[in-house]
C-alpha cells in the first residue's frame, strides 16, 4: 500500500502542498501523523499483514472477514 494513500487528502497541510504525498517515506509519514492526526485517512486497517485505508466499503469489510463481507457490521452507517 503506497504511503501516500495513508493520508487524508482533505487535510489542510496536504491540500496546501506542505506534505508531498509522492515523496514521503513511511517513517516521516508516521511522525507527521502523530503530530497532526488530521493527516490520517481513516480508518487505517492492518490485519494479518493486509492493509487498506479509507472507507472503501468492500475492502474494509473484507478485512473484517466473515460474517461481515457483503453486510453491514453493527454500528456501521452506510
Amino acid at each position: 500500500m503506497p504511503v501516500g494513500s495513508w493520508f487524508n487528502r482533505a487535510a489542510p497541510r496536504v491540500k496546501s502542498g506542505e506534505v508531498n504525498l509522492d515523496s514521503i517515506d513511511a517513517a516521516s509519514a508516521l511522525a507527521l501523523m502523530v503530530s497532526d492526526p488530521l493527516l490520517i485517512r481513516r480508518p487505517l486497517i492492518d490485519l494479518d499483514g493486509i492493509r487498506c485505508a479509507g472507507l472503501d466499503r468492500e475492502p474494509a469489510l473484507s478485512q473484517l472477514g466473515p460474517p461481515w463481507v457483503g453486510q453491514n457490521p453493527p454500528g456501521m452507517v452506510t
Side-chain angles (χ1 to χ4, degrees):
M1 166 186 249
V3 174
S5 68
W6 303 355
F7 284 85
N8 171 10
R9 295 185 183 275
R13 292 174 71 188
V14 173
K15 287 173 68 173
S16 72
E18 179 182 344
V19 177
N20 183 344
L21 302 184
D22 296 325
S23 64
I24 194 160
D25 62 81
S28 299
L30 292 173
L32 282 172
M33 290 176 178
V34 166
S35 69
D36 185 356
L38 285 175
L39 293 171
I40 302 169
R41 182 175 179 201
R42 292 179 178 86
L44 279 178
I45 299 172
D46 181 352
L47 183 63
D48 296 331
I50 300 171
R51 298 178 177 133
C52 68
L55 291 173
D56 297 329
R57 188 172 186 278
E58 285 307 315
L61 291 178
S62 69
Q63 292 296 320
L64 297 173
W68 308 120
V69 177
Q71 299 180 41
N72 292 334
M76 182 172 182
V77 178
T78 57

